[in-house]
Amino acid sequence: MNALPHPVLNVVGVSKSFGAVEVLSDISFQVGKGETVCVLGPSGSGKSTLLRCINWLEKPDAGHVYLNGEPVGVTSAGVVMNDRRLSQIRTRIGMVFQHFALWPHLTVLQNLIEAPLQVQRRPRAEIHEEALALLAKVGLHDKRDAFPARLSGGQKQRVGIARALAMRPDLLLFDEPTSALDPELVGEVLVVMRDLAHEGMTMVIVTHEMTFAREAATRVLFLDRGRMVETGTPDQFFSRPATERARQFLQRYAAEAVTAQR
Amino acid sequence: MTPGDISAFAQGAVVTVALSVAGILIGLPVGLGLALIRWARVPVIGRLVALYVSILRATPLVTLLLLLFFALPNVGVPIDPYSAAILALSMNTSAFNCEIWRAALLAFPKDQLEAAMSVGMSAGLRFRRIVLPQIARASLPALVNEMSLLIKVTPVLAVVGVVDITRAAVRIGAETYEPLPPFLVAVALYAPIIYGLVSLQRFIERRQAAAEAA
Amino acid sequence: MIHDFGIVWDQRGLLMSGLANTALLSVIAAVVSLLLGSALTPAMMSRRRAVAGAARAFVDAMRCIPFLLFAYIVYYGLPSLGINFDNWSAGLAALMLYNTAYMAEILRGAWAAMPREPIEAGTAFGFSGVRLFRRIVLPGLVLSAGPVVGNQLIQIIKDSAFLTIIALPELTHAASSIQSRYYVPFAAFITAVALYWGLCLVVEGGVNVLRRLADARR
């Protein structure tokens, strides 16, 4: 893989173990501006842990993460960052959670406004206007005063995406954003994500939606048992997988898709 | 009852309510602080807090009160009955409040915290804006219940000379040789306060259950 | 200070009899109030309005009266109605009656929260009446209400300390009399606190055993 000149995200040799189990082993990759990178692999392959290592919700045992060339988590001098410094960097990395993680004590609009106001301390009027525009964009303008408990799963996740976008992040991470949804609600979330991809948002998406990955991704990473087994364009990966493990993985998905259609 | 009796009861009621409110106002934040120390697993101090809570939960208020009132002057800390009363109530209720807050903290969903981290909230902001509003709501019924329990043990404060509702009733009974009527008056003073808190607790629980069902 | 604890040690007989009285009072009160409470629970759930209302009124009244005041009424108040007690009977009666209301409420809550299906299955397999209650309902009730009843026992132990006020020779009273005779307040009361703590740890240990049994049978 060629090194990008100015990657938004640069992951270098990240490893992570939980006790004796090695979940990630020496993972390196880069994401350029405007790329949509989908991380694929069987469950337990370490995809979510990799994502959580990028914004240091999980502390990597080894390796480095750089956002726009700046180190994340550990300073250039090798010192682990304090909470304040780490928080500052996290404001530039948005995250969308599998189970939404909306704040239940705040309304939809308040969920969007909370961090830009409290953390970034941007002017209230500007944030408010932007938040309303984002809600319109994800089709939930009329739900702005509802509490999260009143929303469907698909609506919750669209709010989750809008909440991440309200921070104007340089990079957006998605942790299996449609896995917790009823099948009929998956589509409405994928539409929003596809639009973001077209608009040139830089995204890393952990997902099991193969069709989405094939259509929307600029690049695919394939993880298996904590190792990065394969990377390439969706076309290469889905049509001509280079490794036996990727072939097996894709076959199983194809079989499941056929069963699901019946 | 003479006008003097009525004013004695009124003054007693003021004392009972004032001491209860003082105990509650001190016990709530202290209990939260203790819970946070245990939650954060602060080494050594966390263990000490666990020990403090375990002992205080097992100690009758009257025993604690007598200990504070008689032993503190013995070690060179003079204390009047009212300070001893407030100290005993706060220590007692803070131990129970600690367990209530801690239960809410332990049940707090991890992804809520992670969502706050992912938008760059610092530890202080996460606690103030995301954790506290939610655990306060979850703990509210149990905290109100603890308040009603606290008021129910206040009559014991009279043993060190605090002149509260119970003390007023005992005194009037001793003077008139008719102890039953003043005790019934005392019941009529306590019951509405406690019943009010119990009803408040039920109301909050019902409203929260309804909000969750919707 | 060591000298003070020496005095308390010399008076250990008094403290031990106080501890024994506290334990005895609490256990008797717990057992009797549990039995009376389990008789009151069906009354609270009765379909007859008057019965349910009366039972509920008694329970609510007890829950709104401070225990100490209730003990005063039984010991000092009732004699003026011609009912006379010594301090033991008054203290025990007050503990039992007061906690009957709490036990009834605990059992009612546990009963109401019990899953319907096992009971219906019992009926379907031909259990009825007393046998249905004894073989199907009661075991589940004991397991689910057991820990809460254990916590109430701790509450009873602590309530029994209030009875020092009517000169009942329980643990706090013993510590009190040692302190007033020898003026060793810290040593006397801290020892009493330690003994209460030990007593409650024993009860909590029992509650935990019950909780584990219940968890294994969920």
Side-chain angles (χ1 to χ4, degrees), chain C residues 156-208:
Chain C
I156 295 175
I157 291 171
K158 295 200 295 173
D159 278 354
S160 75
F162 290 179
L163 298 175
T164 184
I165 285 168
I166 57 171
L168 213 151
E170 46 69 64
L171 182 51
T172 298
H173 197 260
S176 231
S177 58
I178 293 173
Q179 108 79 15
S180 59
R181 211 173 307 162
Y182 302 98
Y183 198 60
V184 284
F186 183 78
F189 287 119
I190 231 29
T191 309
V193 165
L195 291 173
Y196 277 113
W197 187 40
L199 203 55
C200 291
L201 287 182
V202 171
V203 177
E204 271 173 24
V207 167
N208 283 338

Side-chain angles (χ1 to χ4, degrees), chain A residues 52 57 83 87 90-91 93 95 97 101-105 114-115 118-119 150 163 167, chain B residues 110-112 114-123 125-126 128-130 133-134 214:
Chain A
R52 294 158 58 83
L57 284 182
D83 185 61
S87 293
R90 283 183 180 139
T91 59
I93 309 176
M95 185 156 189
F97 292 80
L102 299 181
W103 297 310
H105 58 299
E114 178 70 12
Q118 297 289 336
V119 181
R150 306 261 167 160
R163 177 176 72 177
M167 299 291 287
Chain B
K110 192 161 159 261
D111 66 351
Q112 283 287 313
E114 290 182 344
M117 286 184 194
S118 79
V119 291
M121 289 192 184
S122 63
L125 208 53
R126 289 199 292 270
R128 202 156 47 78
R129 302 289 306 183
I130 305 299
Q134 294 189 55

Side-chain angles (χ1 to χ4, degrees), chain A residues 151-250:
Chain A
L151 304 181
S152 73
Q155 292 172 329
K156 280 182 193 166
Q157 196 56 295
R158 284 186 278 154
V159 174
I161 295 171
R163 177 176 72 177
L165 289 172
M167 299 291 287
R168 300 177 175 167
D170 298 336
L171 169 70
L172 208 48
L173 307 176
F174 290 78
D175 187 6
E176 303 199 20
T178 56
S179 299
L181 298 180
D182 291 336
E184 72 271 19
L185 302 177
V186 169
E188 62 189 68
V189 173
L190 292 181
V191 166
V192 172
M193 290 165 62
R194 204 168 274 135
D195 286 350
L196 287 173
H198 286 158
E199 287 164 21
M201 185 73 214
T202 312
M203 302 190 283
V204 178
I205 303 171
V206 170
T207 184
H208 291 288
E209 297 293 332
M210 294 304 145
T211 317
F212 172 81
R214 185 163 200 164
E215 289 167 3
T218 51
R219 202 144 47 87
V220 166
L221 307 183
F222 176 64
L223 256 61
D224 190 33
R225 280 173 245 164
R227 286 165 196 282
M228 203 163 85
V229 179
E230 223 177 300
T231 176
T233 64
D235 211 38
Q236 279 170 355
F237 179 75
F238 286 102
S239 317
R240 304 178 296 282
T243 60
E244 182 54 31
R245 276 196 255 170
R247 259 193 295 279
Q248 281 172 1
F249 172 75
L250 287 171

Side-chain angles (χ1 to χ4, degrees), chain B residues 96-141:
Chain B
F96 287 92
N97 284 342
C98 169
E99 289 304 280
I100 294 168
W101 287 117
R102 196 169 79 95
L105 283 169
L106 289 177
F108 191 75
K110 192 161 159 261
D111 66 351
Q112 283 287 313
L113 269 182
E114 290 182 344
M117 286 184 194
S118 79
V119 291
M121 289 192 184
S122 63
L125 208 53
R126 289 199 292 270
F127 179 72
R128 202 156 47 78
R129 302 289 306 183
I130 305 299
V131 179
L132 189 58
Q134 294 189 55
I135 61 166
R137 193 187 123 90
S139 309
L140 196 56

Side-chain angles (χ1 to χ4, degrees), chain C residues 24-162:
Chain C
L24 194 66
L25 269 174
S26 308
V27 169
I28 293 175
V31 170
V32 174
S33 60
L34 189 56
L35 290 175
L36 291 177
S38 59
L40 191 58
T41 302
M44 287 173 82
M45 301 175 80
S46 167
R47 284 205 196 89
R48 289 166 61 182
R49 272 271 180 80
V51 175
R56 166 67 39 217
F58 171 72
V59 170
D60 279 352
M62 285 300 142
R63 290 178 52 174
C64 288
I65 300 179
F67 173 69
L68 184 65
L69 196 54
F70 185 66
Y72 268 144
I73 290 174
V74 172
Y75 186 59
Y76 292 110
L78 292 189
S80 59
L81 299 179
I83 306 168
N84 280 298
F85 288 114
D86 60 65
N87 55 356
W88 265 96
S89 330
L92 199 53
L95 265 185
M96 289 185 319
L97 274 177
Y98 192 73
N99 282 287
T100 294
Y102 288 82
M103 292 294 189
E105 179 65 16
I106 289 168
L107 293 176
R108 190 201 58 77
W111 194 323
M114 261 181 101
R116 293 287 131 218
E117 279 183 1
I119 301 173
E120 282 171 5
T123 316
F125 277 79
F127 286 92
S128 66
V130 175
R131 188 176 304 197
L132 177 70
F133 182 78
R134 211 160 49 88
R135 305 293 308 176
I136 310 291
V137 179
L138 194 58
L141 210 53
V142 169
L143 287 175
S144 66
V148 196
V149 169
N151 288 342
Q152 191 60 30
L153 175 56
I154 293 178
Q155 193 58 47
I156 295 175
I157 291 171
K158 295 200 295 173
D159 278 354
S160 75
F162 290 179

Side-chain angles (χ1 to χ4, degrees), chain A residues 72-91:
Chain A
V72 179
V74 185
T75 63
S76 336
V79 184
V80 174
M81 288 177 180
N82 61 20
D83 185 61
R84 175 183 292 263
R85 183 81 192 83
L86 197 53
S87 293
Q88 245 165 25
I89 294 177
R90 283 183 180 139
T91 59

